[in-house]
mmCIF file of all heavy atoms in Angstrom:
data_model
loop_
_atom_site.group_PDB
_atom_site.id
_atom_site.type_symbol
_atom_site.label_atom_id
_atom_site.label_comp_id
_atom_site.label_asym_id
_atom_site.label_seq_id
_atom_site.Cartn_x
_atom_site.Cartn_y
_atom_site.Cartn_z
ATOM 1 N N TYR A 58 18.016 -22.765 -42.442
ATOM 2 C CA TYR A 58 16.777 -23.142 -43.117
ATOM 3 C C TYR A 58 16.052 -24.267 -42.373
ATOM 4 O O TYR A 58 16.643 -25.309 -41.900
ATOM 5 C CB TYR A 58 17.160 -23.678 -44.510
ATOM 6 C CG TYR A 58 17.689 -22.659 -45.406
ATOM 7 C CD1 TYR A 58 19.161 -22.485 -45.490
ATOM 8 C CD2 TYR A 58 16.918 -21.848 -46.259
ATOM 9 C CE1 TYR A 58 19.673 -21.490 -46.330
ATOM 10 C CE2 TYR A 58 17.453 -20.834 -47.030
ATOM 11 C CZ TYR A 58 18.788 -20.643 -47.075
ATOM 12 O OH TYR A 58 19.398 -19.667 -47.912
ATOM 13 N N TYR A 60 12.050 -26.350 -42.254
ATOM 14 C CA TYR A 60 10.920 -26.722 -42.980
ATOM 15 C C TYR A 60 9.865 -27.523 -42.240
ATOM 16 O O TYR A 60 10.184 -28.309 -41.377
ATOM 17 C CB TYR A 60 11.323 -27.591 -44.137
ATOM 18 C CG TYR A 60 12.384 -26.921 -45.090
ATOM 19 C CD1 TYR A 60 13.732 -27.178 -44.691
ATOM 20 C CD2 TYR A 60 12.105 -26.321 -46.262
ATOM 21 C CE1 TYR A 60 14.809 -26.607 -45.466
ATOM 22 C CE2 TYR A 60 13.069 -25.783 -47.004
ATOM 23 C CZ TYR A 60 14.495 -25.851 -46.598
ATOM 24 O OH TYR A 60 15.496 -25.391 -47.406
ATOM 25 N N TYR A 62 6.700 -30.244 -43.135
ATOM 26 C CA TYR A 62 6.024 -31.028 -44.200
ATOM 27 C C TYR A 62 5.020 -31.771 -43.517
ATOM 28 O O TYR A 62 4.923 -32.058 -42.247
ATOM 29 C CB TYR A 62 6.937 -32.033 -44.830
ATOM 30 C CG TYR A 62 8.063 -31.482 -45.643
ATOM 31 C CD1 TYR A 62 9.373 -31.151 -45.059
ATOM 32 C CD2 TYR A 62 7.918 -31.396 -46.993
ATOM 33 C CE1 TYR A 62 10.354 -30.625 -45.996
ATOM 34 C CE2 TYR A 62 8.847 -30.925 -47.788
ATOM 35 C CZ TYR A 62 10.134 -30.573 -47.228
ATOM 36 O OH TYR A 62 11.209 -30.132 -48.071
ATOM 37 N N GLN A 64 2.877 -35.657 -44.188
ATOM 38 C CA GLN A 64 2.960 -36.802 -45.006
ATOM 39 C C GLN A 64 1.615 -37.568 -44.849
ATOM 40 O O GLN A 64 1.202 -37.789 -43.753
ATOM 41 C CB GLN A 64 4.103 -37.753 -44.553
ATOM 42 C CG GLN A 64 4.177 -39.010 -45.453
ATOM 43 C CD GLN A 64 4.947 -40.175 -44.817
ATOM 44 O OE1 GLN A 64 5.301 -40.201 -43.685
ATOM 45 N NE2 GLN A 64 5.075 -41.197 -45.708
ATOM 46 N N GLY A 67 -0.583 -41.777 -50.156
ATOM 47 C CA GLY A 67 -0.944 -41.337 -51.458
ATOM 48 C C GLY A 67 -0.440 -39.928 -51.905
ATOM 49 O O GLY A 67 -0.661 -39.565 -53.020
ATOM 50 N N HIS A 68 0.201 -39.207 -50.929
ATOM 51 C CA HIS A 68 0.598 -37.868 -51.287
ATOM 52 C C HIS A 68 2.139 -37.623 -50.999
ATOM 53 O O HIS A 68 2.583 -36.549 -51.375
ATOM 54 C CB HIS A 68 -0.126 -36.856 -50.427
ATOM 55 C CG HIS A 68 -1.624 -36.710 -50.844
ATOM 56 N ND1 HIS A 68 -1.971 -35.927 -51.979
ATOM 57 C CD2 HIS A 68 -2.672 -37.194 -50.407
ATOM 58 C CE1 HIS A 68 -3.267 -36.069 -52.145
ATOM 59 N NE2 HIS A 68 -3.723 -36.789 -51.153
ATOM 60 N N GLY A 69 2.721 -38.537 -50.491
ATOM 61 C CA GLY A 69 4.200 -38.315 -50.185
ATOM 62 C C GLY A 69 4.407 -37.148 -49.075
ATOM 63 O O GLY A 69 3.519 -36.968 -48.241
ATOM 64 N N LEU A 70 5.394 -36.507 -49.328
ATOM 65 C CA LEU A 70 5.760 -35.306 -48.480
ATOM 66 C C LEU A 70 5.372 -33.993 -49.077
ATOM 67 O O LEU A 70 5.817 -33.764 -50.223
ATOM 68 C CB LEU A 70 7.258 -35.373 -48.100
ATOM 69 C CG LEU A 70 7.739 -36.500 -47.191
ATOM 70 C CD1 LEU A 70 9.184 -36.655 -47.366
ATOM 71 C CD2 LEU A 70 7.404 -36.201 -45.699
ATOM 72 N N LEU A 72 5.210 -29.705 -48.725
ATOM 73 C CA LEU A 72 5.715 -28.548 -47.987
ATOM 74 C C LEU A 72 4.653 -27.722 -47.534
ATOM 75 O O LEU A 72 3.748 -27.238 -48.249
ATOM 76 C CB LEU A 72 6.690 -27.886 -48.829
ATOM 77 C CG LEU A 72 7.372 -26.685 -48.155
ATOM 78 C CD1 LEU A 72 8.311 -27.044 -47.052
ATOM 79 C CD2 LEU A 72 8.184 -25.848 -49.178
ATOM 80 N N TYR A 75 8.080 -22.834 -44.850
ATOM 81 C CA TYR A 75 9.529 -22.936 -44.649
ATOM 82 C C TYR A 75 10.058 -21.568 -44.033
ATOM 83 O O TYR A 75 9.459 -20.456 -44.134
ATOM 84 C CB TYR A 75 10.389 -23.293 -45.870
ATOM 85 C CG TYR A 75 10.246 -22.370 -47.037
ATOM 86 C CD1 TYR A 75 11.254 -21.478 -47.287
ATOM 87 C CD2 TYR A 75 9.171 -22.376 -47.870
ATOM 88 C CE1 TYR A 75 11.197 -20.543 -48.323
ATOM 89 C CE2 TYR A 75 9.143 -21.441 -49.019
ATOM 90 C CZ TYR A 75 10.150 -20.567 -49.123
ATOM 91 O OH TYR A 75 10.081 -19.721 -50.221
ATOM 92 N N TYR A 77 13.767 -19.179 -43.758
ATOM 93 C CA TYR A 77 15.183 -18.923 -44.198
ATOM 94 C C TYR A 77 15.925 -18.036 -43.198
ATOM 95 O O TYR A 77 16.978 -17.425 -43.641
ATOM 96 C CB TYR A 77 15.270 -18.506 -45.647
ATOM 97 C CG TYR A 77 14.281 -17.379 -45.960
ATOM 98 C CD1 TYR A 77 14.594 -16.069 -45.959
ATOM 99 C CD2 TYR A 77 12.957 -17.759 -46.364
ATOM 100 C CE1 TYR A 77 13.638 -15.036 -46.263
ATOM 101 C CE2 TYR A 77 12.072 -16.740 -46.663
ATOM 102 C CZ TYR A 77 12.409 -15.462 -46.700
ATOM 103 O OH TYR A 77 11.466 -14.437 -47.006
ATOM 104 N N LYS A 84 5.323 -19.382 -47.609
ATOM 105 C CA LYS A 84 4.385 -20.539 -47.805
ATOM 106 C C LYS A 84 4.933 -21.542 -48.720
ATOM 107 O O LYS A 84 5.680 -21.285 -49.600
ATOM 108 C CB LYS A 84 3.078 -19.923 -48.292
ATOM 109 C CG LYS A 84 2.280 -18.928 -47.422
ATOM 110 C CD LYS A 84 1.098 -18.406 -47.956
ATOM 111 C CE LYS A 84 0.335 -17.546 -47.033
ATOM 112 N NZ LYS A 84 -0.919 -16.972 -47.665
ATOM 113 N N GLY A 85 4.449 -22.841 -48.369
ATOM 114 C CA GLY A 85 4.668 -23.862 -49.175
ATOM 115 C C GLY A 85 3.493 -24.327 -50.015
ATOM 116 O O GLY A 85 2.493 -23.515 -50.195
ATOM 117 N N GLU A 86 3.426 -25.549 -50.492
ATOM 118 C CA GLU A 86 2.367 -26.068 -51.316
ATOM 119 C C GLU A 86 1.021 -26.128 -50.662
ATOM 120 O O GLU A 86 -0.020 -25.960 -51.269
ATOM 121 C CB GLU A 86 2.745 -27.360 -51.899
ATOM 122 C CG GLU A 86 1.832 -28.046 -52.738
ATOM 123 C CD GLU A 86 2.133 -29.459 -53.099
ATOM 124 O OE1 GLU A 86 3.244 -29.930 -52.651
ATOM 125 O OE2 GLU A 86 1.412 -30.168 -53.801
ATOM 126 N N PHE A 117 6.463 -33.522 -40.312
ATOM 127 C CA PHE A 117 7.859 -33.672 -40.197
ATOM 128 C C PHE A 117 8.569 -32.277 -40.331
ATOM 129 O O PHE A 117 8.171 -31.479 -41.151
ATOM 130 C CB PHE A 117 8.437 -34.536 -41.226
ATOM 131 C CG PHE A 117 8.200 -35.959 -41.155
ATOM 132 C CD1 PHE A 117 7.197 -36.644 -41.796
ATOM 133 C CD2 PHE A 117 8.864 -36.776 -40.215
ATOM 134 C CE1 PHE A 117 6.871 -37.940 -41.717
ATOM 135 C CE2 PHE A 117 8.576 -38.064 -39.974
ATOM 136 C CZ PHE A 117 7.432 -38.645 -40.792
ATOM 137 N N ARG A 121 18.083 -27.556 -43.344
ATOM 138 C CA ARG A 121 19.147 -27.672 -44.456
ATOM 139 C C ARG A 121 20.264 -26.740 -44.014
ATOM 140 O O ARG A 121 20.114 -25.646 -43.675
ATOM 141 C CB ARG A 121 18.456 -27.245 -45.805
ATOM 142 C CG ARG A 121 19.473 -27.315 -46.896
ATOM 143 C CD ARG A 121 18.735 -27.068 -48.251
ATOM 144 N NE ARG A 121 18.232 -25.730 -48.351
ATOM 145 C CZ ARG A 121 18.925 -24.650 -48.798
ATOM 146 N NH1 ARG A 121 20.213 -24.838 -49.131
ATOM 147 N NH2 ARG A 121 18.368 -23.454 -48.948
ATOM 148 N N ASN A 126 22.541 -29.196 -50.171
ATOM 149 C CA ASN A 126 21.322 -29.519 -50.933
ATOM 150 C C ASN A 126 20.358 -30.452 -50.177
ATOM 151 O O ASN A 126 19.208 -30.529 -50.509
ATOM 152 C CB ASN A 126 21.779 -30.216 -52.243
ATOM 153 C CG ASN A 126 22.490 -29.289 -53.141
ATOM 154 O OD1 ASN A 126 22.171 -28.265 -53.454
ATOM 155 N ND2 ASN A 126 23.729 -29.780 -53.471
ATOM 156 N N GLU A 127 20.992 -31.213 -49.298
ATOM 157 C CA GLU A 127 20.126 -32.129 -48.456
ATOM 158 C C GLU A 127 19.381 -31.511 -47.444
ATOM 159 O O GLU A 127 19.944 -30.661 -46.775
ATOM 160 C CB GLU A 127 21.049 -33.378 -48.035
ATOM 161 C CG GLU A 127 21.936 -33.972 -49.002
ATOM 162 C CD GLU A 127 23.161 -33.278 -49.394
ATOM 163 O OE1 GLU A 127 23.521 -32.330 -48.667
ATOM 164 O OE2 GLU A 127 23.791 -33.625 -50.369
ATOM 165 N N GLN A 128 18.229 -32.087 -47.088
ATOM 166 C CA GLN A 128 17.427 -31.757 -45.923
ATOM 167 C C GLN A 128 17.426 -32.956 -44.957
ATOM 168 O O GLN A 128 17.530 -34.076 -45.399
ATOM 169 C CB GLN A 128 15.998 -31.371 -46.335
ATOM 170 C CG GLN A 128 15.848 -30.117 -47.090
ATOM 171 C CD GLN A 128 14.464 -29.768 -47.462
ATOM 172 O OE1 GLN A 128 13.452 -30.222 -46.774
ATOM 173 N NE2 GLN A 128 14.238 -28.808 -48.357
ATOM 174 N N PHE A 130 15.771 -34.635 -41.653
ATOM 175 C CA PHE A 130 14.421 -34.619 -40.947
ATOM 176 C C PHE A 130 14.420 -35.060 -39.481
ATOM 177 O O PHE A 130 15.274 -35.840 -39.059
ATOM 178 C CB PHE A 130 13.520 -35.660 -41.754
ATOM 179 C CG PHE A 130 13.030 -35.142 -43.054
ATOM 180 C CD1 PHE A 130 13.907 -35.187 -44.141
ATOM 181 C CD2 PHE A 130 11.882 -34.535 -43.248
ATOM 182 C CE1 PHE A 130 13.512 -34.644 -45.443
ATOM 183 C CE2 PHE A 130 11.396 -33.960 -44.504
ATOM 184 C CZ PHE A 130 12.210 -34.038 -45.605
ATOM 185 N N GLY A 131 13.409 -34.528 -38.779
ATOM 186 C CA GLY A 131 13.140 -34.858 -37.484
ATOM 187 C C GLY A 131 12.362 -36.179 -37.417
ATOM 188 O O GLY A 131 11.943 -36.729 -38.433
ATOM 189 N N PRO A 132 12.094 -36.655 -36.211
ATOM 190 C CA PRO A 132 11.352 -37.977 -36.044
ATOM 191 C C PRO A 132 9.874 -37.984 -36.418
ATOM 192 O O PRO A 132 9.195 -38.914 -36.584
ATOM 193 C CB PRO A 132 11.599 -38.319 -34.629
ATOM 194 C CG PRO A 132 11.681 -36.949 -33.947
ATOM 195 C CD PRO A 132 12.378 -36.085 -34.896
ATOM 196 N N TYR B 481 18.825 -30.592 -59.079
ATOM 197 C CA TYR B 481 19.470 -31.511 -58.163
ATOM 198 C C TYR B 481 18.396 -32.558 -57.727
ATOM 199 O O TYR B 481 17.254 -32.112 -57.512
ATOM 200 C CB TYR B 481 19.979 -30.707 -56.929
ATOM 201 C CG TYR B 481 21.119 -31.414 -56.160
ATOM 202 C CD1 TYR B 481 22.355 -31.362 -56.563
ATOM 203 C CD2 TYR B 481 20.738 -32.074 -54.959
ATOM 204 C CE1 TYR B 481 23.386 -31.969 -55.854
ATOM 205 C CE2 TYR B 481 21.824 -32.817 -54.412
ATOM 206 C CZ TYR B 481 23.164 -32.624 -54.662
ATOM 207 O OH TYR B 481 24.154 -33.332 -54.065
ATOM 208 N N LEU B 483 17.467 -36.096 -55.311
ATOM 209 C CA LEU B 483 17.703 -36.816 -54.079
ATOM 210 C C LEU B 483 16.870 -37.982 -53.901
ATOM 211 O O LEU B 483 15.769 -37.986 -54.295
ATOM 212 C CB LEU B 483 17.726 -35.888 -52.798
ATOM 213 C CG LEU B 483 18.424 -34.524 -52.856
ATOM 214 C CD1 LEU B 483 17.556 -33.427 -53.457
ATOM 215 C CD2 LEU B 483 18.898 -34.104 -51.430
ATOM 216 N N TYR B 485 15.431 -40.392 -50.517
ATOM 217 C CA TYR B 485 15.316 -40.589 -49.172
ATOM 218 C C TYR B 485 14.645 -42.032 -48.875
ATOM 219 O O TYR B 485 13.900 -42.480 -49.642
ATOM 220 C CB TYR B 485 14.447 -39.556 -48.619
ATOM 221 C CG TYR B 485 15.061 -38.217 -48.424
ATOM 222 C CD1 TYR B 485 15.176 -37.342 -49.499
ATOM 223 C CD2 TYR B 485 15.603 -37.771 -47.172
ATOM 224 C CE1 TYR B 485 15.808 -36.107 -49.370
ATOM 225 C CE2 TYR B 485 16.268 -36.498 -47.097
ATOM 226 C CZ TYR B 485 16.256 -35.661 -48.155
ATOM 227 O OH TYR B 485 16.985 -34.498 -48.077
ATOM 228 N N LYS B 487 12.638 -44.218 -45.804
ATOM 229 C CA LYS B 487 11.825 -43.915 -44.639
ATOM 230 C C LYS B 487 11.271 -45.219 -44.042
ATOM 231 O O LYS B 487 10.654 -45.965 -44.704
ATOM 232 C CB LYS B 487 10.602 -43.133 -44.925
ATOM 233 C CG LYS B 487 9.904 -42.651 -43.679
ATOM 234 C CD LYS B 487 8.627 -41.808 -43.983
ATOM 235 C CE LYS B 487 7.953 -41.493 -42.648
ATOM 236 N NZ LYS B 487 7.564 -42.684 -41.829
ATOM 237 N N ALA B 490 7.339 -44.836 -38.651
ATOM 238 C CA ALA B 490 7.471 -44.305 -37.319
ATOM 239 C C ALA B 490 8.784 -43.525 -37.294
ATOM 240 O O ALA B 490 9.179 -43.234 -36.063
ATOM 241 C CB ALA B 490 7.275 -45.136 -36.154
ATOM 242 N N GLU B 491 9.467 -43.315 -38.300
ATOM 243 C CA GLU B 491 10.735 -42.578 -38.323
ATOM 244 C C GLU B 491 10.680 -41.438 -39.386
ATOM 245 O O GLU B 491 9.833 -41.478 -40.268
ATOM 246 C CB GLU B 491 11.922 -43.477 -38.579
ATOM 247 C CG GLU B 491 12.198 -44.425 -37.525
ATOM 248 C CD GLU B 491 13.486 -45.219 -37.711
ATOM 249 O OE1 GLU B 491 14.279 -44.904 -38.697
ATOM 250 O OE2 GLU B 491 13.717 -46.276 -37.081
ATOM 251 N N GLY B 492 11.627 -40.496 -39.236
ATOM 252 C CA GLY B 492 11.663 -39.459 -40.282
ATOM 253 C C GLY B 492 12.410 -39.874 -41.465
ATOM 254 O O GLY B 492 13.142 -40.934 -41.337
ATOM 255 N N PRO B 493 12.178 -39.412 -42.640
ATOM 256 C CA PRO B 493 12.983 -39.775 -43.754
ATOM 257 C C PRO B 493 14.468 -39.506 -43.607
ATOM 258 O O PRO B 493 14.828 -38.548 -42.899
ATOM 259 C CB PRO B 493 12.444 -38.843 -44.904
ATOM 260 C CG PRO B 493 11.059 -38.397 -44.427
ATOM 261 C CD PRO B 493 11.243 -38.282 -42.965
ATOM 262 N N PHE B 495 18.240 -39.190 -45.614
ATOM 263 C CA PHE B 495 18.885 -38.956 -46.920
ATOM 264 C C PHE B 495 19.642 -40.139 -47.216
ATOM 265 O O PHE B 495 20.450 -40.712 -46.372
ATOM 266 C CB PHE B 495 19.750 -37.644 -46.794
ATOM 267 C CG PHE B 495 20.648 -37.482 -47.950
ATOM 268 C CD1 PHE B 495 20.200 -37.191 -49.234
ATOM 269 C CD2 PHE B 495 22.057 -37.718 -47.781
ATOM 270 C CE1 PHE B 495 21.006 -37.063 -50.250
ATOM 271 C CE2 PHE B 495 22.898 -37.610 -48.893
ATOM 272 C CZ PHE B 495 22.314 -37.281 -50.095
ATOM 273 N N SER B 498 22.333 -38.662 -53.723
ATOM 274 C CA SER B 498 21.847 -37.494 -54.555
ATOM 275 C C SER B 498 22.647 -37.449 -55.796
ATOM 276 O O SER B 498 23.711 -38.165 -56.000
ATOM 277 C CB SER B 498 21.905 -36.223 -53.820
ATOM 278 O OG SER B 498 23.256 -35.941 -53.398
ATOM 279 N N PHE B 538 11.572 -42.275 -51.252
ATOM 280 C CA PHE B 538 11.119 -41.033 -51.867
ATOM 281 C C PHE B 538 12.141 -40.431 -52.747
ATOM 282 O O PHE B 538 13.312 -40.348 -52.439
ATOM 283 C CB PHE B 538 10.722 -39.976 -50.816
ATOM 284 C CG PHE B 538 9.522 -40.374 -49.967
ATOM 285 C CD1 PHE B 538 9.637 -40.839 -48.733
ATOM 286 C CD2 PHE B 538 8.262 -40.194 -50.451
ATOM 287 C CE1 PHE B 538 8.544 -41.151 -47.950
ATOM 288 C CE2 PHE B 538 7.079 -40.460 -49.588
ATOM 289 C CZ PHE B 538 7.280 -40.997 -48.353
ATOM 290 N N ARG B 542 15.003 -30.558 -56.483
ATOM 291 C CA ARG B 542 15.241 -29.226 -56.037
ATOM 292 C C ARG B 542 14.806 -28.257 -57.060
ATOM 293 O O ARG B 542 15.191 -28.288 -58.269
ATOM 294 C CB ARG B 542 16.744 -28.969 -55.634
ATOM 295 C CG ARG B 542 16.861 -27.557 -54.973
ATOM 296 C CD ARG B 542 18.273 -27.241 -54.651
ATOM 297 N NE ARG B 542 19.191 -27.159 -55.755
ATOM 298 C CZ ARG B 542 20.537 -26.854 -55.705
ATOM 299 N NH1 ARG B 542 21.116 -26.739 -54.443
ATOM 300 N NH2 ARG B 542 21.288 -26.691 -56.760
ATOM 301 N N TYR B 546 7.571 -23.224 -55.130
ATOM 302 C CA TYR B 546 7.541 -22.952 -53.696
ATOM 303 C C TYR B 546 8.991 -22.893 -53.216
ATOM 304 O O TYR B 546 9.497 -23.889 -52.594
ATOM 305 C CB TYR B 546 6.740 -23.932 -52.857
ATOM 306 C CG TYR B 546 5.204 -23.818 -53.276
ATOM 307 C CD1 TYR B 546 4.668 -24.725 -54.187
ATOM 308 C CD2 TYR B 546 4.486 -22.825 -52.804
ATOM 309 C CE1 TYR B 546 3.363 -24.584 -54.518
ATOM 310 C CE2 TYR B 546 3.139 -22.662 -53.180
ATOM 311 C CZ TYR B 546 2.562 -23.588 -54.119
ATOM 312 O OH TYR B 546 1.264 -23.493 -54.503
ATOM 313 N N GLY B 547 9.579 -21.738 -53.342
ATOM 314 C CA GLY B 547 10.919 -21.613 -52.864
ATOM 315 C C GLY B 547 12.073 -22.366 -53.481
ATOM 316 O O GLY B 547 13.065 -22.779 -52.874
ATOM 317 N N GLN B 550 15.217 -21.033 -52.999
ATOM 318 C CA GLN B 550 15.781 -21.174 -51.719
ATOM 319 C C GLN B 550 16.236 -22.636 -51.383
ATOM 320 O O GLN B 550 16.554 -22.973 -50.311
ATOM 321 C CB GLN B 550 14.661 -20.863 -50.740
ATOM 322 C CG GLN B 550 14.182 -19.460 -50.830
ATOM 323 C CD GLN B 550 14.920 -18.459 -49.970
ATOM 324 O OE1 GLN B 550 16.131 -18.835 -49.517
ATOM 325 N NE2 GLN B 550 14.579 -17.250 -49.939
ATOM 326 N N GLY B 551 16.257 -23.452 -52.436
ATOM 327 C CA GLY B 551 16.736 -24.744 -52.302
ATOM 328 C C GLY B 551 15.630 -25.762 -51.877
ATOM 329 O O GLY B 551 15.888 -26.849 -51.375
ATOM 330 N N ASN B 552 14.360 -25.384 -51.948
ATOM 331 C CA ASN B 552 13.341 -26.293 -51.488
ATOM 332 C C ASN B 552 13.108 -27.456 -52.471
ATOM 333 O O ASN B 552 13.505 -27.459 -53.558
ATOM 334 C CB ASN B 552 12.033 -25.561 -51.491
ATOM 335 C CG ASN B 552 11.983 -24.496 -50.334
ATOM 336 O OD1 ASN B 552 12.884 -24.352 -49.526
ATOM 337 N ND2 ASN B 552 10.872 -23.735 -50.147
ATOM 338 N N LEU B 553 12.646 -28.496 -51.806
ATOM 339 C CA LEU B 553 12.557 -29.747 -52.491
ATOM 340 C C LEU B 553 11.126 -30.085 -52.844
ATOM 341 O O LEU B 553 10.180 -29.786 -52.018
ATOM 342 C CB LEU B 553 13.040 -30.900 -51.752
ATOM 343 C CG LEU B 553 14.575 -30.799 -51.246
ATOM 344 C CD1 LEU B 553 14.940 -31.948 -50.425
ATOM 345 C CD2 LEU B 553 15.485 -30.787 -52.523
ATOM 346 N N PHE B 555 8.832 -33.564 -53.498
ATOM 347 C CA PHE B 555 8.950 -34.987 -53.332
ATOM 348 C C PHE B 555 7.887 -35.797 -54.137
ATOM 349 O O PHE B 555 6.779 -35.248 -54.336
ATOM 350 C CB PHE B 555 8.663 -35.357 -51.817
ATOM 351 C CG PHE B 555 9.866 -35.084 -50.922
ATOM 352 C CD1 PHE B 555 9.972 -33.747 -50.456
ATOM 353 C CD2 PHE B 555 10.781 -36.022 -50.475
ATOM 354 C CE1 PHE B 555 11.018 -33.425 -49.653
ATOM 355 C CE2 PHE B 555 11.859 -35.654 -49.738
ATOM 356 C CZ PHE B 555 11.972 -34.446 -49.264
ATOM 357 N N GLY B 556 8.240 -36.971 -54.530
ATOM 358 C CA GLY B 556 7.339 -37.964 -55.102
ATOM 359 C C GLY B 556 6.539 -38.592 -54.020
ATOM 360 O O GLY B 556 6.687 -38.362 -52.805
ATOM 361 N N LYS B 557 5.580 -39.422 -54.450
ATOM 362 C CA LYS B 557 4.726 -40.018 -53.469
ATOM 363 C C LYS B 557 5.239 -41.210 -52.733
ATOM 364 O O LYS B 557 4.767 -41.770 -51.780
ATOM 365 C CB LYS B 557 3.405 -40.375 -54.087
ATOM 366 C CG LYS B 557 2.561 -39.305 -54.595
ATOM 367 C CD LYS B 557 1.234 -39.722 -55.255
ATOM 368 C CE LYS B 557 0.375 -38.475 -55.766
ATOM 369 N NZ LYS B 557 -0.899 -38.955 -56.322
ATOM 370 N N GLY B 558 6.385 -41.724 -53.240
ATOM 371 C CA GLY B 558 7.043 -42.784 -52.561
ATOM 372 C C GLY B 558 6.772 -44.187 -53.286
ATOM 373 O O GLY B 558 5.730 -44.361 -53.790
#
Side-chain angles (χ1 to χ4, degrees):
Chain A
Y58 296 92
Y60 306 83
Y62 291 89
Q64 186 200 2
H68 289 279
L70 290 157
L72 182 65
Y75 64 99
Y77 44 96
K84 297 178 180 180
E86 178 187 1
F117 290 102
R121 180 170 66 86
N126 298 304
E127 303 81 12
Q128 293 182 16
F130 286 81
Chain B
Y481 203 83
L483 307 89
Y485 284 81
K487 186 184 180 305
E491 295 184 9
F495 168 70
S498 61
F538 292 100
R542 185 177 72 178
Y546 297 100
Q550 298 276 8
N552 289 0
L553 302 178
F555 285 82
K557 295 182 178 182

